[in-house]
Amino acid sequence: MGLFSRKPKTPKPANATAPGGVGAGNDTASLNSEGSNIKSSSSRIQIHSINRSSAGSMPQTPLTPMTPHPLPRINLPKPPDPSLDAAGYLKSLGSVRERCKIVTDKALHNNLNHFDVDVTKFPDVVSFVCGIIKRDFDPPFSSIPPHGRYQHFCVGGRDRIANLLATFPDNVDSTEKCRRLIDLFLVSVLLDAGAGTSWSFKSTENGRIYRRSEGLAVASLEMFKAGLFSANPNNKFQVDKDGLQKLTVEQLAKGMQSGPGNEITGLEGRAQLLIRLGDALARKADYFGQDGRPGNMIDYLLAHPTTQASSTPIVVLPVLWNVLVNGLAPIWPPSRTAIDGVSLGDAWPCSSMPQQTPTPSSPVLSPFPNSQPGSGAAAWESILPFHKLTQWLTYSLMQPMTNLLKIQFAGTELLTGLPEYRNGGLFIDLGVLTLKHDDMERGLQNYSDYCRRTGTKGVEVAPMFEPSDDVIVEWRGVTVGFLDKLLIEVNKALQKELNGGELTLAQLLEAGSWKGGREIAEVSRPNTKEPPILIDSDGTVF
């Protein structure tokens, strides 16, 4: 077993994984459904693992890095005061849960602008997620790994990361191995936006076809192993500023096998994101070294004055967060929300947040004409931060640092559930959230326009919006809060099986909500397996 391998679950009767990776098999479930919203009760939801490649085919880690360890009491730095540094506050990790709570509280009172909320359906979500967890893992569920990019590299039951590590010569020490994995994981996560329904990747190593997140993971790994992201002739197994800055759209298209009939969504946006990453790595030598490698952040973290020296090093999570959110700030498109000229990244105006009242002397056209009257709030208060890709990076980069260098992290409880379409789609497909009529009509018209513009044939029609649309921003805000609520309820429901323990949020995301969102989408829309709301993405958000 490889370094990242975990003991397999005790086998239960189920058919073997179908060739071709995720989505190759025929998944079944019994649900009463009507349209895109599944009308169900916990007694009617049945979960099967027929040809389910996500159910037990992945090598399992012997140790869950996010499992609580006894740590000395460490005071975490507080986020900036928004009245003094609004941009700094909205870019902080702590702001995400705080600001999303405002939208979540409105949702719990069925007071959203774009969704009707039926909290009586929440137990159905809990039951569905618990069923998936119990299907795929044995109690007390300590073998569930934290949510992270690593698992996607193990599609089909093959531990590609362990295999990669085994190819490195003996003179490559654990620190350099970890640098290489951070290089790989960072690029792979940045490429992990929705690939679209038509794209797939055929592995040059085993000839199998993979799609979606797993396909993107395998594609990024094979490009990494080919040295596409490295300018160092002595080490192709790295990502560096020079390698990224010379990257072209054509090279990325070739590496991802994107072409006529197999187009990946947002190809140019992905390429530009990686090119801007090269620029960002060049600007921050204190984080990424003179050669501009993401993996050099290890040296910065271990040398940081807040890193606690003990039998194993303890890194304060906000320090890692600052490396990612500040060091990678230049990668985000210039069109993103900004305050005082500072780009906020994945943070967006939202009509469900407190609104600023324009002064009579300077009338301002409201971007949300149907929103509630302003409350005299400050301008920053209307912005809802998510930082989904940065959080996905944080979850993912902690895994190799913990496993290879035994680094522990203080403050992981600050991380939130990821506001993306699988986690969010779970609550729509199980009836907790229902898009309001006017927004549904507008979204369907958007989808019709998209199909006409791109020549796409609509197979399973669904509403579509751009990432900045108020519908999407509100949906994402509710998703963050509902995932916290889901964790509490799932731990209650599994109390007996947990035998005194608790699932972490990272474990719930991995074994329950994200997987559950994907599986319920496969049932609700079996032809496309798309989420209930489509995103007209540029390849840099989802």
Side-chain angles (χ1 to χ4, degrees):
M1 298 179 72
L3 176 67
F4 284 88
S5 300
R6 57 184 177 145
K7 294 181 179 179
K9 174 177 166 45
T10 302
K12 292 183 179 180
N15 292 343
T17 303
V22 169
N26 298 317
D27 306 314
T28 64
S30 174
L31 297 121
N32 286 345
S33 62
E34 182 178 351
S36 65
N37 293 307
I38 293 183
K39 310 298 182 184
S40 57
S41 67
S42 58
S43 62
R44 289 188 299 229
I45 297 178
Q46 298 180 18
I47 300 167
H48 303 273
S49 57
I50 299 177
N51 289 345
R52 170 80 55 199
S53 61
S54 61
S57 67
M58 182 189 70
Q60 303 187 1
T61 54
L63 177 68
T64 299
M66 303 301 291
T67 299
H69 296 282
L71 295 175
R73 184 175 181 84
I74 297 174
N75 293 322
L76 301 176
K78 295 181 179 180
D81 183 338
S83 64
L84 301 175
D85 182 7
Y89 170 74
L90 290 171
K91 291 171 68 175
S92 72
L93 179 55
S95 71
V96 178
R97 183 172 275 110
E98 286 181 3
R99 304 309 293 169
C100 287
K101 184 179 184 301
I102 295 173
V103 181
T104 305
D105 287 345
K106 288 188 174 183
L108 294 174
H109 292 88
N110 194 18
N111 194 27
L112 294 177
N113 291 331
H114 303 291
F115 294 89
D116 293 316
V117 184
D118 186 353
V119 293
T120 67
K121 297 295 180 63
F122 210 92
D124 292 352
V125 182
V126 176
S127 176
F128 185 71
V129 167
C130 287
I132 289 174
I133 292 172
K134 289 191 286 188
R135 178 197 69 191
D136 294 349
F137 295 92
D138 287 323
F141 311 121
S142 57
S143 63
I144 297 175
H147 200 42
R149 189 59 165 157
Y150 158 71
Q151 282 81 251
H152 293 159
F153 291 114
C154 296
V155 60
R158 182 183 179 193
D159 193 336
R160 293 169 180 81
I161 298 304
N163 294 342
L164 175 66
L165 291 171
T167 66
F168 299 152
D170 293 340
N171 61 349
V172 177
D173 62 16
S174 295
T175 303
E176 173 57 21
K177 289 178 181 177
C178 193
R179 289 191 193 99
R180 294 182 182 189
L181 291 192
I182 288 178
D183 286 351
L184 167 62
F185 283 26
L186 190 142
V187 165
S188 188
V189 166
L190 292 182
L191 288 172
D192 188 33
T197 58
S198 64
W199 179 83
S200 63
F201 182 83
K202 183 176 182 179
S203 172
T204 60
E205 297 180 355
N206 63 10
R208 293 199 172 190
I209 294 175
Y210 304 101
R211 298 174 174 86
R212 303 185 182 276
S213 286
E214 290 83 358
L216 291 166
V218 175
S220 62
L221 174 60
E222 294 193 8
M223 287 187 287
F224 175 80
K225 292 167 71 173
L228 182 61
F229 311 120
S230 173
N232 183 355
N234 298 317
N235 182 20
K236 66 178 182 179
F237 299 110
Q238 71 176 46
V239 175
D240 56 59
K241 60 181 181 181
D242 295 332
L244 293 173
Q245 287 172 332
K246 65 181 177 63
L247 186 68
T248 66
V249 176
E250 292 73 22
Q251 286 176 316
L252 188 63
K254 181 179 179 181
M256 304 190 82
Q257 301 174 2
S258 180
N262 192 47
E263 291 91 351
I264 190 167
T265 300
L267 173 66
E268 187 165 349
R270 294 171 205 265
Q272 292 303 320
L273 192 69
L274 294 186
I275 293 169
R276 289 194 298 269
L277 172 61
D279 297 336
L281 296 173
R283 294 185 194 183
K284 288 289 187 178
D286 51 338
Y287 294 161
F288 307 118
Q290 292 301 317
D291 51 349
R293 283 183 64 186
N296 287 336
M297 72 174 72
I298 294 173
D299 305 275
Y300 174 84
L301 294 173
L302 293 177
H304 197 274
T306 63
T307 298
Q308 305 293 307
S310 60
S311 57
T312 59
I314 302 172
V315 171
V316 178
L317 189 68
V319 175
L320 171 59
W321 180 259
N322 286 336
V323 170
L324 297 176
V325 80
N326 294 322
L328 304 183
I331 74 175
W332 305 116
S335 59
R336 292 291 172 85
T337 310
I339 288 183
D340 297 328
V342 179
S343 177
L344 301 179
D346 186 14
W348 313 81
C350 179
S351 68
S352 291
M353 299 296 284
Q355 301 296 308
Q356 187 179 27
T357 302
T359 60
S361 59
S362 58
V364 177
L365 180 64
S366 171
F368 311 117
N370 297 321
S371 64
Q372 298 176 355
S375 59
W380 67 267
E381 294 185 69
S382 68
I383 298 172
L384 196 52
F386 302 118
H387 308 301
K388 178 261 179 179
L389 270 179
T390 308
Q391 292 207 65
W392 183 218
L393 267 175
T394 305
Y395 279 118
S396 297
L397 298 187
M398 286 191 292
Q399 288 179 300
M401 285 191 263
T402 298
N403 280 280
L404 285 167
L405 300 181
K406 309 305 179 187
I407 294 174
Q408 296 185 62
F409 292 89
T412 56
E413 68 276 5
L414 295 174
L415 290 162
T416 73
L418 299 180
E420 47 78 62
Y421 58 73
R422 292 304 184 200
N423 288 320
L426 178 70
F427 299 108
I428 294 178
D429 277 334
L430 287 174
V432 178
L433 297 174
T434 302
L435 190 62
K436 292 185 176 182
H437 176 77
D438 288 349
D439 290 304
M440 175 65 78
E441 292 298 312
R442 182 167 64 89
L444 292 175
Q445 183 60 51
N446 290 342
Y447 181 69
S448 177
D449 294 343
Y450 170 84
C451 290
R452 186 166 50 252
R453 185 177 71 248
T454 61
T456 303
K457 183 180 179 181
V459 178
E460 289 167 322
V461 177
M464 172 179 274
F465 303 92
E466 293 183 350
S468 60
D469 194 286
D470 203 49
V471 168
I472 301 301
V473 179
E474 186 180 71
W475 181 32
R476 298 179 74 195
V478 174
T479 298
V480 170
F482 275 7
L483 287 170
D484 280 343
K485 177 177 171 62
L486 182 62
L487 176 64
I488 294 171
E489 298 303 323
V490 166
N491 273 321
K492 287 180 181 177
L494 297 177
Q495 186 174 12
K496 181 179 178 181
E497 291 91 339
L498 286 166
N499 194 26
E502 283 189 339
L503 294 177
T504 65
L505 181 57
Q507 290 175 306
L508 175 74
L509 294 172
E510 178 60 31
S513 63
W514 188 88
K515 185 186 293 185
R518 169 184 273 187
E519 294 190 13
I520 202 68
E522 292 174 356
V523 173
S524 303
R525 292 162 296 280
N527 294 308
T528 63
K529 303 176 177 60
E530 286 282 20
I533 295 178
L534 302 175
I535 313 294
D536 189 0
S537 175
D538 63 356
T540 66
V541 177
F542 294 91

